[in-house]
Amino acid sequence: MTELNDLKLKVLELLKEDARRTPTLLATLLGVAEQDVCTAIKELEDQHVIVKYAAVVNWDKVDDEKVTALIEVQITPERGRGFEGIAERIYLYPQVKSVYLMSGAYDLLVEVEGRNLREVANFVSEKLSPIDSVLSTKTNFTLKKYKQDGIIFEDHQEDNRLMISP
Amino acid sequence: MNIKPEALTDSNKAMSSYLSPLVREIPSSGIRKFFDLVGGNKDIITLGVGEPDFTTPWHMREACVYSLERGFTSYTSNAGTPELREAISEYLDEQFAVRYDPKSEIIVTVGGSEAIDLALRALIVPGDEILVPEPCYISYSPITSIGGGIPVGIETFAKDEFKLTAEALEAKITPKSKVLILCYPSNPTGATMTYEDWLPIAKVVEKHDLIVISDEIYAELNYGEKHVSFAAMPGMMDRTILVSGFSKAFAMTGWRIGYTCGHPDLIAAMLKIHQYTVMCAPSMGQVAALEGLRNGLGEKDRMVEAYNQRRRLMVEGFREIGLECHEPRGAFYVFPSIQSTGLSSDEFAQRLLAEAKVAAVPGNVFGLGGEGYLRCSYATSVSQLTEALDRIGQFVEKVKKEG
């Protein structure tokens, strides 16, 4: 686990809000030298703390058919490797968007994306379920995404404050 | 009053003759005049708002909603719910080292504004002079006048970081001087006062037997040394009426929950006016405020950190544009000088609005010492502030070329 200093934590928070912020702007906001921000970002990238810069997209707004399912998977762990090997077998499929090891009633939570229900169902029945260690799967299709990564998708709150006030 | 219908429609002049001269003679707010110019134009980036751009944290709103569901809709005690007064007392003690008895020294008010009005009405005998360091919040002088007092401005200057000095205060004191109104951190300048800054002021206050109304509504929005309440200065506790509230630090402007603390005799007098006018502050707002004090300090700190980041952006931005800008250490305003452009505050603000679509408040509306400055609130998103600075930069360049 990487121990981060205060500057790096603040840089992460500001980039999480908006990844397009430049080092110049970050330096101004934080009251530090631009070079320090650049160094912090470089180290965060090298340490794979910052893994990627990506946009949070509300796909419901895009006319592009997509179905997402959260699949609860129970598995038998492998001797010596535990859940790692089986998780790897699963996450290497391109249609798998995320995989989490969970506590509770099941072991892995697998997020799968497909063009339609049939495609996701085929993935579960033809790829996921036949894996030897997989004991059971329970597929939950997402119907609507309200909030992701702290961002509320339907939050169109207008600024209703008076234009000028005391 | 028996007025015939035709008299009502006759003319406004006739009706205005019924008004108290105290009210009639008060000029209308310069901010309001400027607001009318801005109108509802949504293309404008506004740096004019004197309120947080954050919504009241959800857990506080939710606490209010639950209280309504449980039917908590009655009057509270005149001074506010005992739980809230208790929490305010503990909060002030922990944050600013001032201790007030929740039973006899605190009133929960309808915003900080009501508290200032209560204090002035409780203190003013017609003809009393009320000292006000300026530039300052636009309401102090009008409320003083409505109460029959005479507002006396004390000009403060950028070279002193808009701090009040003992010499300037002393120079304005007369035998009629009774009250000094303080507002630090300051709206509109963002100036703050340290313990060392307050010491000589406290001596003058004691020497001339003044009562102080200390409006500390921006106390939590402090980016330098920790806020020093004037009430915490040696010998000032009994002479000070502390005014604060939840509007700014807890993003609760619309709820109208403020509070005032002071000597039991003063608070008792203020409570009389409060109970005969508003009865009590809104009960549901008191619930949300209590939740804020109990569980909202972390969110308050996050908002303060965000303001601090924007403050740096604005100060640096104005300096890069070539406008002098003292470093504000409190509140959420910057107060750059626009004197190098050769325009007056009014001209600058009006042209900035018309030509660059940025609304900011001309400094002259805040009283003495405000001419030649512009109040810009940074309680707006970083992206909006960046865009506003770009537009102001282009505008200033254009004006300087003209000159």
Side-chain angles (χ1 to χ4, degrees):
Chain A
M1 206 67 94
T2 311
E3 199 169 295
L4 299 181
N5 60 27
D6 193 42
L7 174 63
K8 283 185 183 169
L9 285 172
K10 285 185 173 163
V11 165
L12 285 178
E13 280 166 14
L14 288 172
L15 286 176
K16 190 78 177 68
E17 274 175 30
D18 183 353
R20 290 183 305 174
R21 285 175 174 164
T22 62
T24 315
L25 177 60
L26 295 176
T28 304
L29 292 173
L30 296 173
V32 297
E34 190 174 337
Q35 187 52 49
D36 293 344
V37 171
C38 291
T39 306
I41 291 175
K42 175 81 172 53
E43 286 177 15
L44 288 165
E45 289 170 350
D46 290 348
Q47 293 161 346
H48 264 240
V49 176
I50 295 177
V51 183
K52 187 179 181 179
Y53 297 91
V56 177
V57 179
N58 182 0
W59 288 105
D60 291 350
K61 294 272 183 194
V62 182
D63 189 19
D64 181 22
E65 288 283 305
K66 262 195 178 76
V67 171
T68 306
L70 294 169
I71 305 166
E72 301 166 12
V73 186
Q74 280 188 312
I75 54 180
T76 310
E78 294 170 314
R79 178 178 287 274
R81 294 192 73 193
F83 297 98
E84 303 301 311
I86 192 76
E88 185 181 356
R89 281 194 71 164
I90 294 172
Y91 68 58
L92 285 173
Y93 284 105
Q95 52 271 64
V96 173
K97 297 300 163 193
S98 53
V99 176
Y100 305 102
L101 180 63
M102 309 292 287
S103 67
Y106 57 94
D107 304 304
L108 295 181
L109 182 66
V110 179
E111 186 182 6
V112 174
E113 204 171 82
R115 276 175 296 181
N116 49 46
L117 291 180
R118 182 183 297 277
E119 201 171 275
V120 174
N122 285 347
F123 172 79
V124 175
S125 59
E126 291 172 13
K127 306 290 185 195
L128 194 57
S129 296
I131 296 173
D132 281 348
S133 316
V134 171
L135 298 173
S136 73
T137 64
K138 186 175 164 190
T139 304
N140 309 282
F141 286 101
T142 61
L143 303 180
K144 185 174 179 180
K145 212 175 253 185
Y146 294 100
K147 187 176 182 181
Q148 184 185 325
D149 289 344
I151 295 160
I152 299 168
F153 282 158
E154 296 300 323
D155 196 10
H156 293 310
Q157 279 190 354
E158 287 194 6
D159 189 348
N160 291 321
R161 297 175 300 164
L162 296 173
M163 295 290 273
I164 300 284
S165 64
Chain B
M1 189 164 63
N2 185 17
I3 306 167
K4 291 178 187 171
E6 55 269 30
L8 280 171
T9 55
D10 194 25
S11 77
N12 287 332
K13 195 178 166 195
M15 288 310 290
S16 68
S17 67
Y18 291 98
L19 293 173
S20 153
L22 288 174
V23 175
R24 204 168 47 220
E25 284 160 17
I26 290 172
S28 56
S29 155
I31 282 195
R32 176 55 56 181
K33 273 192 266 179
F34 201 72
F35 175 74
D36 293 339
L37 284 177
V38 176
N41 194 334
K42 291 283 178 193
D43 295 334
I44 290 169
I45 296 179
T46 179
L47 308 179
V49 281
E51 64 176 312
D53 59 325
F54 299 102
T55 311
T56 312
W58 169 240
H59 67 101
M60 292 161 68
R61 287 184 272 156
E62 195 194 33
C64 170
V65 171
Y66 274 126
S67 80
L68 291 176
E69 284 179 355
R70 288 199 313 272
F72 186 68
T73 56
S74 314
Y75 293 128
T76 69
S77 340
N78 293 122
T81 63
E83 296 86 355
L84 180 56
R85 278 181 281 150
E86 192 84 46
I88 290 169
S89 173
E90 283 170 20
Y91 175 75
L92 290 176
D93 191 8
E94 281 166 18
Q95 298 286 321
F96 308 118
V98 282
R99 281 186 200 179
Y100 291 100
D101 178 358
K103 292 193 179 69
S104 60
E105 296 180 335
I106 298 176
I107 307 172
V108 178
T109 55
V110 182
S113 303
E114 192 218 342
I116 294 161
D117 187 39
L118 291 179
L120 284 169
R121 284 206 274 168
L123 292 167
I124 290 174
V125 174
D128 282 345
E129 289 180 354
I130 312 299
L131 299 150
V132 190
E134 294 180 346
C136 72
Y137 173 55
I138 56 166
S139 295
Y140 301 139
S141 291
I143 308 177
T144 297
S145 302
I146 291 169
I150 300 164
V152 177
I154 309 169
E155 188 168 354
T156 61
F157 302 92
K159 67 176 172 57
D160 303 322
E161 298 177 318
F162 293 103
K163 290 170 188 275
L164 174 65
T165 63
E167 298 73 37
L169 171 61
E170 185 105 44
K172 292 284 184 159
I173 290 175
T174 73
K176 289 183 181 172
S177 304
K178 182 168 188 180
V179 175
L180 169 64
I181 303 180
L182 298 169
C183 177
Y184 292 95
S186 158
N187 171 10
T189 66
T192 56
M193 296 283 278
T194 63
Y195 187 90
E196 288 70 30
D197 294 328
W198 279 141
L199 265 181
I201 305 291
K203 282 187 183 141
V204 177
V205 164
E206 192 156 36
K207 180 179 159 194
H208 295 281
D209 198 18
L210 299 176
I211 290 286
V212 172
I213 298 172
S214 184
D215 181 352
E216 299 181 22
I217 191 78
Y218 292 102
E220 291 87 349
L221 309 188
N222 199 296
Y223 317 109
E225 290 178 29
K226 198 169 166 56
H227 173 74
V228 181
S229 172
F230 190 74
M233 296 305 295
M236 290 300 111
M237 188 82 176
D238 285 349
R239 293 187 172 277
T240 304
I241 297 173
L242 172 65
V243 171
S244 194
F246 295 84
S247 291
K248 311 294 182 180
F250 291 86
M252 285 185 66
T253 52
W255 301 74
R256 310 313 302 129
I257 301 294
Y259 55 87
T260 182
C261 315
H263 188 281
D265 293 350
L266 299 177
I267 289 296
M270 289 162 69
L271 188 59
K272 277 191 212 166
I273 308 170
H274 175 75
Q275 71 190 14
Y276 290 131
T277 50
V278 302
M279 194 79 78
C280 67
S283 54
M284 54 285 283
Q286 294 189 51
V287 171
L290 179 61
E291 171 66 18
L293 288 180
R294 283 182 176 164
N295 302 309
L297 300 190
E299 270 160 291
K300 181 206 74 175
D301 291 344
R302 274 192 290 282
M303 290 191 272
V304 173
E305 173 60 23
Y307 291 136
N308 194 11
Q309 291 171 0
R310 300 168 187 184
R311 179 184 70 103
R312 294 190 191 109
L313 177 68
M314 293 300 275
V315 172
E316 193 172 313
F318 276 112
R319 287 177 180 168
E320 275 175 15
I321 287 167
L323 297 181
E324 271 180 41
C325 186
H326 88 104
E327 190 181 347
R329 295 185 190 275
F332 40 51
Y333 310 102
V334 284
F335 204 59
S337 164
I338 46 91
Q339 290 161 34
S340 61
T341 64
L343 300 179
S344 71
S345 290
D346 255 340
E347 285 168 327
F348 188 96
Q350 289 191 28
R351 281 191 57 186
L352 184 68
L353 180 60
E355 296 168 35
K357 297 247 184 292
V358 175
V361 186
N364 59 309
V365 308
F366 301 101
L368 297 174
E371 178 53 52
Y373 294 88
L374 193 67
R375 189 194 76 174
C376 301
S377 158
Y378 49 85
T380 298
S381 70
V382 168
S383 57
Q384 288 271 291
L385 293 176
T386 309
E387 172 66 22
L389 285 167
D390 274 353
R391 293 189 193 182
I392 295 170
Q394 286 166 21
F395 172 73
V396 168
E397 208 170 302
K398 184 174 138 196
V399 171
K400 285 188 172 169
K401 272 184 192 158
E402 287 170 7

